[in-house]
Amino acid sequence: MKLSLNWLKRYLDISYTPEKIAEALTLIGLEVEGIEKVESIRGGLAGVVVGEVKTCEKHPDADRLSLTTVDTGSGELLQIVCGAPNVAAGQKVLVATIGTTLYSAAGEPWTIKKGKIRGAESQGMICAEDELGLGGDHSGIVVLPPDTPVGTTAAEYYGIEDDFVFEVGLTPNRSDATSQLGIARDLLAYLKVNENYQDELKDPDLSDFVTERVALNIDVEVLDRKACTRYTGISVNNVEVKESPDWMQKLLRAIGVKPINNIVDITNFVLNELGQPLHAFDAEKIQDKKIVVRTLAAGTEFTTLDGSVRKLAEEDLMICDGQSNGLCMAGVYGGLGSGVTHITRHIFLESACFDARSIRRTSTRHNLRTDAARVFEKGSDPNITVLALKRAAGLIRKLAGGAISDLTVDVYPQPVRMAEIRLFFSKVRGLTGVDISEDEIYAILQAMEMEITPFDDESILVRVPTNKADVTREVDLIEEILRIYGLNRVPVSSQIRSTISYSPKPDRFKTKETISDFLSSNGFNEMMGLSLIESRWYEGTQLADPARFVYINNTSNVELNIMRPDMLMSGLLSVAYNLNRQQSNLSLYEFGKSYLRSSGDIFEEKETISLFLTGRKNEESWLTDSKIDRNFYDIKKAVFSILKRAGITDYSVEEIQGHAGLSYGLRVTRGNQILAECGEVSKAICQKAGVKVPVFYGEILFAALLSNLSDGKMTVAGISRFPSMRRDLAMVVDKKIRFADIEEIARKTDKKFLKHISLFDVYENEKQLGKDKKSCAVSFVFETTERTLQDNEVDQIMEKMIVNMETGVGARIRK
């Protein structure tokens, strides 16, 4: 939220610098994300001073100009040419001296320079109201009272003070800090305890809240008392809707609120001052002179202030009139037909407390993230509704001339009491690690306006104000004490103590780092996708069962409504994003999790290494062929290389059948455990994600990878001093025979000398080889580190190999 320094000064007599205040706010747990200077008047009237016109004569060459001399207190009289009709000797005026920057009505800056006007030198400018940004009058110069001291700056004379606005980051539990006064109260407690600040908080002025009998009053009935904890309201008759005064507009603009009219501005002012949302209705548009707080039938159409027609859900709490016509979405957004307009004469002012969960659901459902909804979602204080009502009604009476009804409606069936917490002094010291004295604890609690009752020698009973909705336990109270005491006062030990920790093997982090380094060094770029995704991407696909989706209540973006059920679709969306930005050659990987519901409240969380390849294999260069596209074998190589890097070599490979996301591919297994899958993404899935080019996808199940890692021990073997021997074999086999089948037979034939097997050629020709046949050319490398192999030894192995190939895969050896 935005905190205004000028607003703070309405409640606290402080002269601290903005930096000092930011430091204090940070120490009490309110993170200051930035400070912005806001000028009350553009340029702040720098260089404009009060001067006295000593002489005034007509310009010798221009009847409409006057030649004046002005004393600005600098010790020298300034000669200034002035065109105003009301300038005269003896006047106290505002003078923009040389070098002063002024601004036009359009905001364009221009600088006062020394120059000549009709041949006469002019050393400044005597200013009119509009030229200084003080108003719109340009009929003549500003004439000040005769007793105004010469040399006084214009900023000092008008009391113009620049504002500083703090961007304060609030955690969801800080319901007490959603207003200017709330933060001022927190800051006051810190200053009293740590800076010996003696003054008290200046409460908002309620002197203008004077009631009388009025003609138009509104009754209230609350039907849904669970969703509406308290409802207060009051009628104000005969108001005049017009612009707000300048001081209010400046305060609102400083915190980013656009002024609209005096009635609406007052409700916004009180919301930001006290943290209590208000709503003003045009009382004459309330049928039967009655407000009913209730829900309406599902599907009921309601037109909100922005002109949108929204269909209500059965749970949406509504403010209705006596005819059950919707006037306002309770605590969220007003209706188009019941708001205050320039012709409104009588208003009904609402100040209520609504259930946080009800407001959050309605706000999220309709994507209406209003200031009022944000306050109610954190848990508003039901015990300030009347105070806020009186504050707003008094301001309306003062600024809009209304008559306040002497009948205040207050429906509060179950009043919320202050929480009572027993606090042990020893527990405070034990949890904070600081020897805070009992007197200090008393002082801190009293500074936070908490009521204290002694319980025994070891503890006290503390009653917590209802604006602190999150303080319900002793540990919460201790946290409050530590905030005000000052986190910077907690001593940091000069000793460092550590224990010997044991990291279980395999180390997840080190494994991730190793694989990440390996992929990055091989041309891949790491990406990080959201764990949230839109469910619409899975419509019409078989990638995941919608019944197993993990839906979430996302208040920030209602479109991102599920946890991602797989890694393929979210990664494809990243590929599409890059392709749409002319990044056509992509090698991406991600360590991420997918989420599915197993049954009831049991969820399945799967961690995966996902890989994506698309585009050209090589970048454009005269050294390489840049027209070769990536293919299935590139993704296969990447996946199998990761397994090899992890020390996993003993596995089985099979073709994927009927995969929901891949047109074809391979599955790597070890026993009944799936290690990895890779293949080409089906065109239908690519089109769903907006991708028009082939994409190759691989995924490795991280848990399976970890469970199959080698023991991590490195073995080193010397290079054989003896020559290796190679034999090639060309065989005709059925097309369905895989190289893995041939390799398996070869490994079983010889386990002692056979070191390497490679498929270096595949040839198909139906006329020469026969139908559904192919020729595979395979090389076999034999070696031992003990001696030189003899030809007859290798020949014997090859003879046995041929027999096994003929019987095992039906091979016909080509001579």
Side-chain angles (χ1 to χ4, degrees):
M1 67 163 288
K2 293 182 182 295
L3 172 69
S4 162
L5 178 56
N6 284 348
W7 217 322
L8 268 183
K9 290 179 178 179
R10 296 172 66 87
Y11 319 117
L12 297 173
D13 286 326
I14 52 177
S15 57
Y16 298 112
T17 64
E19 291 73 22
K20 176 67 175 178
I21 293 174
E23 179 186 352
L25 293 174
T26 302
L27 290 174
I28 59 176
L30 295 172
E31 182 182 359
V32 177
E33 299 171 350
I35 306 175
E36 179 186 2
K37 182 179 180 180
V38 179
E39 294 180 335
S40 179
I41 291 180
R42 183 169 295 191
L45 298 183
V48 181
V49 297
V50 175
E52 181 180 359
V53 181
K54 292 296 186 179
T55 62
C56 180
E57 301 174 356
K58 283 188 177 182
H59 192 291
D61 296 329
D63 292 340
R64 294 185 179 181
L65 298 179
S66 299
L67 196 59
T68 67
T69 55
V70 182
D71 178 13
T72 60
S74 64
E76 295 182 9
L77 294 180
L78 302 180
Q79 179 174 291
I80 298 176
V81 178
C82 180
N86 63 329
V87 65
Q91 292 175 335
K92 297 293 179 66
V93 295
L94 293 175
V95 178
T97 57
I98 293 173
T100 300
T101 299
L102 300 179
Y103 295 84
S104 67
E108 296 294 329
W110 56 287
T111 304
I112 302 296
K113 298 179 180 178
K114 183 177 181 179
K116 289 186 177 182
I117 301 177
R118 293 291 181 92
E121 187 178 83
S122 185
Q123 299 172 308
M125 175 177 166
I126 304 175
C127 301
E129 190 178 82
D130 65 329
E131 292 165 333
L132 298 174
L134 297 171
D137 186 12
H138 192 69
S139 60
I141 60 171
V142 176
V143 179
L144 304 177
D147 58 349
T148 306
V150 170
T152 304
T153 65
E156 181 183 354
Y157 176 79
Y158 284 104
I160 293 170
E161 186 177 6
D162 292 335
D163 200 356
F164 288 88
V165 176
F166 305 86
E167 190 68 45
V168 180
L170 293 182
T171 51
N173 63 317
R174 293 304 305 273
S175 59
D176 61 323
T178 56
S179 65
Q180 308 289 315
L181 190 61
I183 294 182
R185 187 176 284 115
D186 223 25
L187 183 60
L188 173 64
Y190 174 83
L191 295 176
K192 280 187 172 183
V193 171
N194 295 278
E195 301 288 339
N196 197 30
Y197 186 83
Q198 298 297 320
D199 292 333
E200 296 297 326
L201 196 74
K202 299 176 185 176
D203 291 321
D205 182 15
L206 301 180
S207 61
D208 291 305
F209 183 77
V210 179
T211 63
E212 57 187 279
R213 296 188 64 180
V214 300
L216 181 58
N217 284 296
I218 304 296
D219 294 328
V220 174
E221 181 181 9
V222 179
L223 298 182
D224 193 337
R225 297 194 173 187
K226 181 180 179 181
C228 180
T229 307
R230 186 178 190 181
Y231 193 98
T232 58
I234 199 168
S235 297
V236 185
N237 289 189
N238 301 314
V239 300
E240 180 185 0
V241 180
K242 56 184 179 180
E243 278 194 356
S244 302
D246 186 60
W247 64 267
M248 180 174 287
Q249 291 192 38
K250 287 179 180 177
L251 287 174
L252 290 175
R253 285 197 181 97
I255 58 173
V257 179
K258 180 182 177 181
I260 298 175
N261 60 52
N262 53 354
I263 305 299
V264 175
D265 291 352
I266 287 170
T267 62
N268 285 330
F269 178 83
V270 175
L271 163 63
N272 285 281
E273 180 180 55
L274 298 177
Q276 172 59 46
L278 304 172
H279 192 76
F281 298 94
D282 188 326
E284 294 179 299
K285 296 177 182 178
I286 301 175
Q287 298 295 320
D288 296 343
K289 298 182 180 180
K290 185 177 182 180
I291 287 287
V292 182
V293 184
R294 54 170 299 177
T295 56
L296 297 175
T300 300
E301 292 187 346
F302 177 67
T303 305
T304 48
L305 277 172
D306 59 359
S308 300
V309 178
R310 304 176 189 273
K311 289 188 176 181
L312 301 176
E314 187 178 8
E315 300 84 9
D316 292 334
L317 188 66
M318 297 293 295
I319 308 300
C320 303
D321 61 20
Q323 298 294 324
S324 296
N325 299 311
L327 303 176
C328 173
M329 298 175 74
V332 178
Y333 209 39
L336 186 62
S338 61
V340 174
T341 66
H342 68 283
I343 61 172
T344 297
R345 290 294 173 264
H346 309 301
I347 65 170
F348 177 73
L349 199 59
E350 166 195 285
S351 178
C353 178
F354 300 111
D355 178 66
R357 288 169 293 184
S358 172
I359 297 301
R360 186 182 302 112
R361 289 168 184 160
T362 296
S363 172
T364 302
R365 187 180 297 119
H366 297 283
N367 198 23
L368 292 169
R369 309 298 298 146
T370 59
D371 291 339
R374 289 189 181 94
V375 171
F376 283 126
E377 287 175 7
K378 292 181 183 296
S380 65
D381 183 2
N383 292 321
I384 65 165
T385 59
V386 174
L387 170 66
L389 199 68
K390 290 181 177 181
R391 174 64 165 157
L395 286 170
I396 290 172
R397 177 175 176 269
K398 179 179 180 180
L399 303 179
I404 305 172
S405 171
D406 57 359
L407 296 175
T408 300
V409 180
D410 188 4
V411 182
Y412 197 14
Q414 295 182 332
V416 176
R417 308 298 181 187
M418 297 171 70
E420 292 188 350
I421 302 173
R422 187 180 179 185
L423 180 68
F424 288 85
F425 301 122
S426 60
K427 192 69 172 289
V428 175
R429 300 180 185 111
L431 282 182
T432 62
V434 182
D435 187 17
I436 306 178
S437 68
E438 295 180 16
D439 289 341
E440 286 181 297
I441 293 174
Y442 269 91
I444 292 171
L445 294 174
Q446 289 169 347
M448 289 191 289
E449 301 179 358
M450 297 185 183
E451 299 178 9
I452 306 171
T453 303
F455 194 89
D456 53 31
D457 293 340
E458 298 177 349
S459 63
I460 54 178
L461 194 65
V462 182
R463 301 182 73 222
V464 181
T466 51
N467 68 327
K468 294 183 179 293
D470 66 310
V471 182
T472 57
R473 306 166 300 169
E474 184 182 21
V475 66
D476 300 327
L477 193 56
I478 293 172
E479 181 185 356
E480 292 294 287
I481 291 172
L482 184 59
R483 278 197 314 106
I484 303 304
Y485 177 80
L487 297 173
N488 60 321
R489 294 174 64 188
V490 177
V492 178
S493 176
S494 59
Q495 296 179 335
I496 298 178
R497 299 180 181 180
S498 64
T499 57
I500 298 175
S501 61
Y502 169 75
S503 178
K505 303 293 184 182
D507 190 304
R508 295 174 61 89
F509 177 76
K510 287 185 177 179
T511 303
K512 281 186 178 182
E513 286 295 298
T514 298
I515 296 173
S516 181
D517 289 344
F518 175 75
L519 288 170
S520 297
S521 63
N522 280 275
F524 279 82
N525 293 302
E526 185 174 7
M527 62 179 177
M528 297 180 67
L530 285 176
S531 295
L532 310 177
I533 196 170
E534 300 178 40
S535 58
R536 67 183 179 91
W537 294 114
Y538 292 89
E539 295 173 0
T541 74
Q542 301 296 320
L543 291 176
D545 181 4
R548 299 185 65 194
F549 286 169
V550 180
Y551 288 92
I552 62 167
N553 185 16
N554 187 353
T555 59
S556 300
N557 187 338
V558 293
E559 304 298 328
L560 298 173
N561 60 339
I562 63 171
M563 305 292 285
R564 60 180 173 190
D566 76 332
M567 297 293 291
L568 175 56
M569 183 57 77
S570 68
L572 269 182
L573 295 175
S574 296
V575 170
Y577 182 89
N578 282 274
L579 290 174
N580 291 336
R581 285 154 182 80
Q582 300 180 348
Q583 301 298 316
S584 55
N585 302 325
L586 300 174
S587 302
L588 304 174
Y589 74 94
E590 178 181 6
F591 288 90
K593 294 181 180 180
S594 57
Y595 310 84
L596 287 171
R597 184 186 296 274
S598 295
S599 61
D601 292 332
I602 301 175
F603 301 93
E604 176 185 327
E605 189 174 301
K606 184 171 69 175
E607 191 169 9
T608 306
I609 308 168
S610 59
L611 311 172
F612 292 86
L613 290 175
T614 187
R616 304 289 190 188
K617 183 178 295 188
N618 301 313
E619 294 294 334
E620 189 173 10
S621 170
W622 65 275
L623 288 171
T624 57
D625 187 348
S626 58
K627 296 181 179 180
I628 302 176
D629 289 331
R630 288 189 170 98
N631 54 45
F632 164 74
Y633 296 102
D634 294 313
I635 195 70
K636 176 189 173 185
K637 178 183 178 182
V639 170
F640 282 54
S641 296
I642 291 173
L643 296 177
K644 184 178 179 180
R645 183 67 182 83
I648 302 174
T649 55
D650 183 17
Y651 49 74
S652 299
V653 180
E654 61 185 35
E655 290 186 25
I656 292 176
Q657 302 293 332
H659 195 284
L662 302 179
S663 298
Y664 61 87
L666 297 177
R667 177 178 291 117
V668 182
T669 60
R670 196 172 192 181
N672 295 325
Q673 194 176 39
I674 297 176
L675 291 177
E677 292 179 340
C678 61
E680 182 179 358
V681 182
S682 70
K683 291 183 178 179
I685 299 299
C686 284
Q687 289 173 358
K688 184 74 177 178
V691 177
K692 300 178 182 179
V693 297
V695 178
F696 299 93
Y697 173 69
E699 69 174 26
I700 299 173
L701 303 182
F702 192 63
L705 181 79
L706 286 175
S707 65
N708 287 279
L709 281 179
S710 62
D711 58 10
K713 294 181 179 178
M714 182 179 293
T715 57
V716 179
I719 299 174
S720 177
R721 296 182 293 112
F722 303 100
S724 61
M725 300 183 70
R726 169 174 167 159
R727 293 289 188 270
D728 293 344
L729 198 62
M731 64 188 81
V732 178
V733 296
D734 292 338
K735 285 186 177 180
K736 65 180 181 181
I737 299 299
R738 303 171 303 160
F739 172 66
D741 300 325
I742 297 173
E743 184 180 24
E744 183 179 0
I745 291 172
R747 294 290 183 189
K748 289 181 178 178
T749 300
D750 181 73
K751 299 180 179 178
K752 186 176 181 181
F753 300 130
L754 182 59
K755 300 301 180 184
H756 183 68
I757 308 169
S758 175
L759 177 67
F760 63 87
D761 186 44
V762 178
Y763 174 69
E764 295 182 12
N765 188 314
E766 187 172 333
K767 290 182 180 180
Q768 296 179 5
L769 304 178
K771 187 178 181 180
D772 294 330
K773 296 291 183 178
K774 64 183 178 181
S775 175
C776 296
V778 183
S779 67
F780 304 88
V781 177
F782 301 90
E783 185 183 83
T784 177
T785 59
E786 299 174 354
R787 58 186 174 83
T788 300
L789 290 174
Q790 301 298 315
D791 286 338
N792 62 336
E793 291 179 288
V794 176
D795 290 342
Q796 289 177 9
I797 296 173
M798 289 305 298
E799 288 174 4
K800 187 177 180 181
M801 186 87 69
I802 291 171
V803 173
N804 289 343
M805 292 295 175
E806 290 174 340
T807 58
V809 295
R812 176 167 53 87
I813 306 303
R814 299 180 70 187
K815 304 296 184 179

